[in-house]
Amino acid sequence: MWLGDPSLPELDFLTVTCQQCERPACLRACPVVPKALRKDPNTGVVSVDESLCTGCGECVLACPYGAMGYDPVDNHAVKCDLCAPRRARGEMPACASVCPTRAITFGKREDLLNLAHEADKPVRDHDHFLQGPATLYLDRSLDAGRTTPRDPLADKHPPAVQGAPLSGTAPTSKWVQIPYRKVDDLQPDEVKPGGCNICFNGCTLKFGMKDGEVVQILGNDEDPVFQGRICAKSQMTLQLYRNPSRLTHPLKRRGPPGSETFERVSWDEALDDIADRLKAIRERDGSEALAIHMGTRTGVLNIMGFVPMFTQMWGTPNFLTTEPFCDASKVVALELTLGSTCQPNIYTPEDIGSAELHVYFGDNQAETRPVNFGMVNDWRLRRGAGMVVIDPRLTATASKADRWLAIRPGTDMALALGLIHEIFCQGWHDLSFCEQWVQGWEVWRDFIQEQGYTIDWASDLTGLDAALIRQLARDIALADGCMIFASRGINQHSNGTQANRTLMFLAAITGNWGRRGGGYFNVASEPDWGRVQIPEEHRSPVDRPALGNSPRQWMQGMLEGAPYAVRGLITGNNPAAHWPDRQRVQEAFRSLDLLVHMDLFFNETSALADYVLPAATGIEKGGISRLAEDRRIVWNDRLMDPPGEAHSDHWFWIELGKRLGYQSVLQDRYKDPAVFWDEVMRQATPSLKGVTMKRLTSTPYRWVRIPVADEAAPEPDTLYMEGTTAFGCESGKRFPTPSGRLEFWTPTIEAKFRSLGLSSLPHFYTEAEANSGHPRVVPDDRPAEVSPFFHSPTLADTVSLQASTGDDGTEWDTQLVTGRPTASHFHSWTHYFWQAQEMWPDLYCQIHPDKAGPRGIRDGEPLVVESPRGRLEARAWVTSGIHPDVIFIPIGWDTLQPFQPWGSVNELTDGTLDPVSHQTNLKLHRCRVMAARNS
C-alpha cells in the first residue's frame, strides 16, 4: 500500500499483511464452532482452516489492519500464514526469500529489536488497536535528515486510485488456476534454472515444474549477485503460460480492419497466403515496401538473428526494434563517446555498491528494475552514501533519496550544462583524467562558458533553486565515486542524444568513467552487435535507404507513398496502441495491403491485422528474451509447450522462409535455439564468442557476463579500468574509440553533426511543446540526407535550431509526461495478470493539488485530458509529489484488455524525433485537463 498526504510531497510504503497478533481480532470474531481460525501456540502464527470456514466475512471486517482477504470463488477467508508448508520444510517464508530490497527479515522479536537498535532505525508504533502485533515496521535512520521518526501511519492515506476500480471485470475462476487456491501446496517434481523475460533486470529464477507445467516461480538463491531476489512481475508470470486470454490458433480477418471478425485457420493456410501476398507487394512496390517491427518480447535471438537474416534475403532496409521508443539516443551517444554500447559498471558491492553518491536523472529504477535498485539502496544505506533523484515526479525512487529535485520536463540537459559550468569555474574537474582520457574536453569547456550556461541560467530553465544546483555540482565533483543513472526520462526527448552526451561529459570531467563506484549508466548495456551473415548468393540487393530509424517515419510511406511506399507490416508488439499519435497510426494500418501480428494476446493491433498469429514466450521457446542491465547474458531452456498451436517467433520466420525459398539459410534445425545460438549468433558478435551453450548451462544460475572472447576466457569485472585495454582493441587503447579516449569533440564527430545542420557542441534545445522561448529543432526545406549516425543507409531530415514562440500556453496550459506504471505492471503484458490488475487496475493521472483544485478534480474521480492529437479519460491521483505544472499518465493500457480496459496515453502524444538518433519524444506534450463531469 502506498501512503502519503496529498498536501505534502512525501511517499511511504506499508506491506499489507497479517500481523500475527497476540490478541487476534479475526480469531475472536469467528462465529464458527469449532473456529475456522487458530493461533499456533508455539509459533504464534494465525491461520485459516478453509474446510471449516463458512465465508461469513466476520474476520475480514474485524481485522483492524485490513490484512484479511476473501476468496469469492471458493467462499472462504484467506490470510498470510507465513508460508506454513515452507516453514515445515525448514525454509523461510517466500516474501523474505525473494524481497528485492532485503526489507523483510524473520526472527525472534528481541533479536530483531536489537538489529533495529544497532542500525539506529526507530520502530513505528502501530498497535493502536491493542492487538499485540508481532510485525515490526522500521523507519529510516534518524540521521537521514530528521531528528524524530515520521508521523504515525494513521496520518497517511493511500491514493484513492489504488482502491476499488470504478469499472471493469473482476477475475473469475477461469483466471485463478493451478497452482492458486490449492490447499495441499502443490509441490514441483523438479526445479529448473532460467531467467525472467519481462524487464532488463535479468533476474534469475527457479521454475518449479510438475507434469510439464510451471507450478512455482522463485528467485535463484544460487545466483551470486541476486541471491534469490526477484520482483512481483517475475512471480506473476505464473499467470502467463496458461492464461485464458492467450492466443492459441492462427486467425484470419474476414471483415474490414477493426471489425474483430476473424476465423480460425491452419498455420499452413496462413503462411501460404502471407507468402503470396508478400510476393505481390514486392512485385508491385519493391521489396522495401515490407516493414518489420519486432520488440524484445520476441527475444534477442529473433530481433538480432532470425529477422536480420530474413531481411537480408528479402531485401528490405525497414526493420526496427523498440529501440527508437526506448534508448536509441543513448545508443548513438555511447557509440560516439565510448565507441561501444558495452557499459563499464556492474551491480556488485565492489563496483556500483562502493559509490559515495548515486544520482538518478529521469530513472525510476525502484519500479522499473526493483531488484537492482534494491541492491543499490541497501548498499548505500549500509555505507552511508548519498542519493539524489532529479525527476518531475516523486517516484518510488525519489521517495528513498536524500534529495528530490522536481525539475521541469525536458530541461535535464540544461541542468547538466549548469553543473558542468560550475564544476569548471570552481576547478573541481579531474584535470589529470581530462587531459589523458577526454578528447575535446577543452572545446566543450570553452563553449559552455562562452554560451553562459551558468547555474543561474540553469535555475531559470529547470525551476530548481540555484543553491541546490550548486550543492549538487559540489557533491558530484567531490564524491569518491559518483554513479550517474539515466533512463527513459533522458532518452525519450528530441534532445535525447545531446542530453545523454552532456551527462556523459559530466561523468567524464569528474573522473567517473572506467572506475569502480563511478560511472554513467543508462539502461541497458548491450554487446556491440555484429551482423549475422548469410551467403552472398542468398542476399537480395537493397536499392533504397531505410525511411528512418523510427517506425514513425513509416507512416508517410503507408499513407502517402513518400518517399516510397510501405504496403506490408509484420509486427510482434502492440503498435496500434503504443506508438505515438495513435489515431494516425491506426489510419496508416488500415491502409496497408497486409498486416501480420504475432503476439501473446489479442489487442488493438490484432483488431486491425489480416492475420493474428499465436506466439510462444520465455520458457515455452527457450533462448535469450532480454539483455540484462549489467552485461549478463541469461539463458532459458525450453521447459514446456506453448498453449494450443502457438509457436516461437523464430519458428514463424523459418516456416515463412521455406515458402520464399530461404530454407537453405533459415534451416529447420535452427528451431532449436541452442543450435542457433552456438552456430549463428555467437559467431556474428566477437564479445559473445566465449558465451557457448556449454558455458551458459554449466552454472546453476545460467548467465555469463560479457565480453568474453573464448570459452576459457574469464568473465570481466568493471571495464575500461586504468591500465587496461578495451576488448578487441590494440594495446594501450583504454576505451574502444579511434583515439582510445572518450570522445566529445573531434573533426569527424563535428562533420557528422554538421551534415544534418547541427553541431556536436552541446547547444541547448528542448521540445517545441515546452513553449519556453528557448531553441528547438525545426526540419528545413532540404531533401532528406543519408544519416552518418546509423550502421546502414538511413534517411534523415536536415534541421536547424530556432527559438520557439514562447507563447503563454493559454489553451494548452499543462505538460504531459508519460512513462512506466507502478512496479506491478510492465507495458501491456501484466494487464492480463489478475494479480497485477488487483494491485493497480485503472489508468491513472497524477496531478498536483494546485492544478486539480481549481478544476474541481477530486482524488480517485474521472478526469479528461486533451491534447492537439486527441482526448483521454483516466482516474485522478491527486498528489503534491509532482511538479505543479505537470501531469503524469502511464503507458500500457488499451481498450481490449480483459479487466479494466482504458484508452492509450498515445491518444495524446505526437512523437517528435531527435534529429540525430530518431528517438521519439514521449516525455513532454502540451495538454489541458478537466474533471470528467465538466467536460
Side-chain angles (χ1 to χ4, degrees):
M1 179 180 290
W2 295 36
L3 299 172
D5 182 339
S7 66
L8 298 172
E10 61 181 24
L11 189 63
D12 278 320
F13 303 90
L14 174 66
T15 302
V16 183
T17 186
C18 179
Q19 305 291 296
Q20 314 299 343
C21 300
E22 292 182 12
R23 303 178 60 250
C26 59
L27 190 153
R28 287 182 281 119
C30 180
V32 179
V33 179
K35 287 184 178 291
L37 289 101
R38 66 180 295 270
K39 179 180 175 66
D40 189 297
N42 298 315
T43 65
V45 174
V46 182
S47 59
V48 178
D49 185 338
E50 295 172 3
S51 66
L52 295 175
C53 181
T54 63
C56 69
E58 292 292 336
C59 58
V60 177
L61 296 173
C63 176
Y65 296 99
M68 288 292 298
Y70 184 76
D71 183 341
V73 177
D74 286 343
N75 298 307
H76 59 71
V78 289
K79 68 177 295 297
C80 171
D81 62 1
L82 299 181
C83 298
R86 288 177 59 88
R87 288 188 289 110
R89 298 192 299 267
E91 301 170 354
M92 72 172 68
C95 59
S97 72
V98 302
C99 179
T101 61
R102 290 290 187 263
I104 302 174
T105 306
F106 284 86
K108 293 185 176 179
R109 185 182 180 87
E110 57 191 50
D111 295 338
L112 297 177
L113 287 169
N114 287 334
L115 286 173
H117 178 73
E118 291 170 6
D120 193 26
K121 290 189 175 181
V123 179
R124 293 182 186 255
D125 176 15
H126 64 289
D127 190 13
H128 310 303
F129 313 105
L130 304 179
Q131 304 296 301
T135 302
L136 306 174
Y137 289 95
L138 306 186
D139 205 337
R140 298 183 186 183
S141 302
L142 294 181
D143 60 359
R146 293 184 303 277
T147 57
T148 59
R150 291 186 171 187
D151 295 334
L153 289 176
D155 293 340
K156 303 291 194 300
H157 306 281
V161 73
Q162 199 178 12
L166 294 183
S167 60
T169 304
T172 61
S173 58
K174 77 170 185 175
W175 295 88
V176 189
Q177 304 176 77
I178 290 175
Y180 299 100
R181 296 169 40 239
K182 290 293 290 185
V183 178
D184 58 357
D185 186 42
L186 192 65
Q187 284 300 296
D189 298 326
E190 56 181 344
V191 175
K192 297 284 190 178
C196 179
N197 60 320
I198 288 191
C199 85
F200 298 102
N201 220 105
C203 299
T204 50
L205 306 176
K206 284 187 173 179
F207 295 95
M209 310 294 297
K210 188 177 183 68
D211 300 327
E213 301 282 339
V214 181
V215 296
Q216 183 186 80
I217 297 177
L218 291 171
N220 192 326
D221 52 2
E222 297 179 85
D223 187 316
V225 175
F226 291 155
Q227 301 170 346
R229 299 176 177 97
I230 55 175
C231 81
K233 291 186 286 288
S234 290
Q235 296 166 86
M236 288 190 293
T237 54
L238 272 174
Q239 297 155 46
L240 172 63
Y241 299 110
R242 288 294 179 263
N243 191 297
S245 280
R246 284 287 296 273
L247 292 167
T248 57
H249 304 284
L251 301 173
K252 182 177 182 178
R253 181 169 53 80
R254 290 303 186 193
S259 65
E260 299 183 43
T261 305
F262 289 85
E263 68 175 6
R264 177 177 169 179
V265 295
S266 69
W267 271 105
D268 283 338
E269 180 181 343
L271 290 164
D272 289 345
D273 190 40
I274 290 168
D276 288 343
R277 293 166 77 167
L278 286 175
K279 292 173 187 176
I281 289 172
R282 180 168 57 188
E283 182 71 23
R284 186 181 64 249
D285 297 298
S287 59
E288 67 276 3
L290 170 64
I292 301 172
H293 184 255
M294 291 284 164
T296 42
R297 190 281 303 158
T298 66
V300 168
L301 272 65
N302 190 54
I303 61 176
M304 303 310 299
F306 289 100
V307 181
M309 292 173 73
F310 180 91
T311 58
Q312 290 178 69
M313 289 184 283
W314 174 264
T316 181
N318 294 309
F319 163 53
L320 290 168
T321 69
T322 52
E323 186 178 273
F325 300 124
C326 297
D327 65 347
S329 59
K330 174 215 65 179
V331 168
V332 171
L334 277 173
E335 289 177 340
L336 289 169
T337 304
L338 178 62
S340 172
T341 52
C342 230
Q343 297 176 94
N345 300 95
I346 59 176
Y347 284 91
T348 63
E350 297 77 24
D351 187 346
I352 290 176
S354 69
E356 195 170 88
L357 179 64
H358 303 268
V359 181
Y360 287 87
F361 282 84
D363 183 0
N364 183 16
Q365 192 185 36
E367 292 187 278
T368 58
R369 289 106 61 219
V371 176
N372 282 350
F373 180 79
M375 292 191 294
V376 171
N377 196 45
D378 186 35
W379 291 328
R380 76 104 179 178
L381 290 173
R382 293 177 189 276
R383 286 177 49 82
M387 182 181 288
V388 179
V389 172
I390 297 105
D391 199 297
R393 296 191 299 137
L394 180 67
T395 61
T397 308
S399 75
K400 298 298 182 184
D402 302 306
R403 273 175 285 160
W404 166 50
L405 304 183
I407 193 169
R408 287 187 183 124
T411 63
D412 300 86
M413 183 181 175
L415 174 59
L417 289 168
L419 294 169
I420 292 165
H421 189 282
E422 179 74 2
I423 287 169
F424 277 129
C425 284
Q426 299 298 333
W428 290 335
H429 58 291
D430 187 330
L431 181 60
S432 175
F433 187 87
C434 287
E435 290 180 338
Q436 291 185 69
W437 301 114
V438 185
Q439 185 87 4
W441 72 275
E442 292 166 305
V443 180
W444 271 52
R445 177 200 62 190
D446 295 346
F447 172 80
I448 290 169
Q449 291 176 337
E450 289 166 4
Q451 293 294 312
Y453 290 151
T454 65
I455 290 282
D456 291 333
W457 170 85
S459 177
D460 287 342
L461 264 74
T462 63
L464 301 175
D465 183 81
L468 289 176
I469 301 177
R470 287 192 176 89
Q471 182 62 49
L472 180 59
R474 179 183 182 87
D475 291 346
I476 291 173
L478 302 185
D480 181 12
C482 174
M483 283 300 306
I484 297 176
F485 296 88
S487 188
R488 309 321 188 212
I490 300 298
N491 299 342
Q492 292 172 340
H493 281 287
S494 63
N495 66 2
T497 302
Q498 290 294 69
N500 267 289
R501 292 180 74 226
T502 305
L503 286 170
M504 291 173 184
F505 190 69
L506 175 62
I509 65 169
T510 54
N512 286 299
W513 209 308
R515 60 158 291 175
R516 293 187 178 94
Y520 180 74
F521 209 102
N522 190 320
V523 184
S525 192
E526 298 186 39
D528 296 308
W529 293 105
R531 190 184 193 189
V532 288
Q533 295 301 310
I534 65 170
E536 186 64 35
E537 62 270 21
H538 291 283
R539 187 174 292 123
S540 292
V542 178
D543 299 323
R544 294 173 173 176
L547 288 178
N549 194 50
S550 170
R552 185 176 180 271
Q553 293 156 296
W554 295 345
M555 297 300 103
Q556 189 174 1
M558 293 177 182
L559 291 169
E560 302 171 24
Y564 58 81
V566 173
R567 302 308 311 145
L569 173 66
I570 302 176
T571 184
N573 304 83
N574 185 12
H578 297 159
W579 288 1
D581 199 355
R582 177 177 172 273
Q583 294 298 325
R584 187 164 187 257
V585 170
Q586 296 211 352
E587 179 188 356
F589 285 3
R590 286 186 171 92
S591 75
L592 292 171
D593 296 331
L594 176 65
L595 172 56
V596 178
H597 184 223
M598 191 169 188
D599 213 331
L600 308 176
F601 304 104
F602 193 97
N603 52 41
E604 290 191 9
T605 304
S606 310
L608 298 171
D610 297 287
Y611 282 96
V612 180
L613 306 177
T617 185
I619 57 173
E620 296 170 350
K621 62 182 178 181
I624 297 165
S625 293
R626 291 186 181 271
L627 295 165
E629 191 174 346
D630 60 344
R631 309 196 317 269
R632 286 172 301 109
I633 302 295
V634 185
W635 183 262
N636 268 324
D637 288 327
R638 187 179 186 276
L639 301 181
M640 62 184 293
D641 294 330
E645 297 177 16
H647 283 291
S648 67
D649 298 82
H650 52 266
W651 181 94
F652 164 78
W653 291 108
I654 290 170
E655 289 295 318
L656 180 61
K658 288 178 182 178
R659 284 140 175 99
L660 299 168
Y662 306 156
Q663 59 268 23
S664 62
V665 177
L666 289 172
Q667 301 172 31
D668 254 353
R669 60 200 189 91
Y670 292 158
K671 290 176 182 176
D672 181 343
V675 173
F676 187 74
W677 174 261
D678 256 350
E679 295 188 12
V680 179
M681 290 290 290
R682 284 194 309 108
Q683 310 308 322
T685 299
S687 63
L688 297 177
K689 290 218 174 150
V691 189
T692 62
M693 284 306 308
K694 179 180 177 182
R695 185 166 183 171
L696 271 171
T697 56
S698 65
T699 69
Y701 44 86
R702 296 297 176 90
W703 59 257
V704 175
R705 182 175 280 122
I706 62 167
V708 285
D710 58 71
E711 192 173 78
E715 291 181 22
D717 198 309
T718 310
L719 299 180
Y720 319 124
M721 300 275 280
E722 189 169 8
T724 65
T725 296
F727 180 86
C729 293
E730 60 189 45
S731 179
K733 279 198 172 184
R734 180 176 176 182
F735 299 102
T737 57
S739 67
R741 308 164 77 189
L742 298 172
E743 296 186 352
F744 289 93
W745 192 94
T746 69
T748 300
I749 293 175
E750 181 67 14
K752 288 184 176 182
F753 277 85
R754 289 292 180 188
S755 71
L756 297 182
L758 297 167
S759 169
S760 67
L761 293 171
H763 291 270
F764 174 73
Y765 64 90
T766 186
E767 307 298 345
E769 298 201 26
N771 287 335
S772 61
H774 290 275
R776 59 180 176 175
V777 168
V778 178
D780 58 29
D781 295 330
R782 289 178 291 170
E785 300 272 349
V786 172
S787 171
F789 292 101
F790 306 119
H791 297 289
S792 59
T794 303
L795 293 175
D797 289 330
T798 56
V799 298
S800 60
L801 292 182
Q802 297 181 13
S804 65
T805 58
D807 62 66
D808 61 5
T810 301
E811 183 177 9
W812 311 109
D813 61 353
T814 302
Q815 294 181 326
L816 166 68
V817 171
T818 75
R820 283 270 301 279
T822 54
S824 58
H825 280 303
F826 181 86
H827 294 286
S828 61
W829 290 29
T830 51
H831 293 271
Y832 298 83
F833 301 167
W834 59 269
Q835 282 182 314
Q837 284 296 306
E838 282 189 339
M839 295 169 73
W840 285 99
D842 289 316
L843 182 68
Y844 57 87
C845 173
Q846 287 185 314
I847 183 170
H848 196 278
D850 291 350
K851 187 169 288 289
R855 291 163 169 79
I857 296 170
R858 294 192 285 261
D859 195 25
E861 293 189 357
L863 56 72
V864 169
V865 183
E866 295 179 342
S867 81
R869 269 76 54 185
R871 183 178 190 273
L872 184 68
E873 187 169 307
R875 290 182 69 188
W877 179 349
V878 179
T879 172
S880 59
I882 191 168
H883 192 287
D885 294 331
V886 173
I887 62 170
F888 171 80
I889 301 177
I891 62 175
W893 276 261
D894 77 26
T895 59
L896 296 182
Q897 290 166 357
F899 299 122
Q900 277 76 32
W902 289 83
S904 167
V905 69
N906 287 304
E907 293 281 4
L908 308 171
T909 60
D910 173 56
T912 303
L913 298 182
D914 175 355
V916 179
S917 64
H918 295 176
Q919 176 82 55
T920 297
N921 165 38
L922 296 172
K923 284 291 184 279
L924 177 55
H925 289 86
R926 279 283 167 179
C927 66
R928 59 189 174 210
V929 61
M930 64 203 79
R933 62 182 180 278
N934 298 331
S935 65

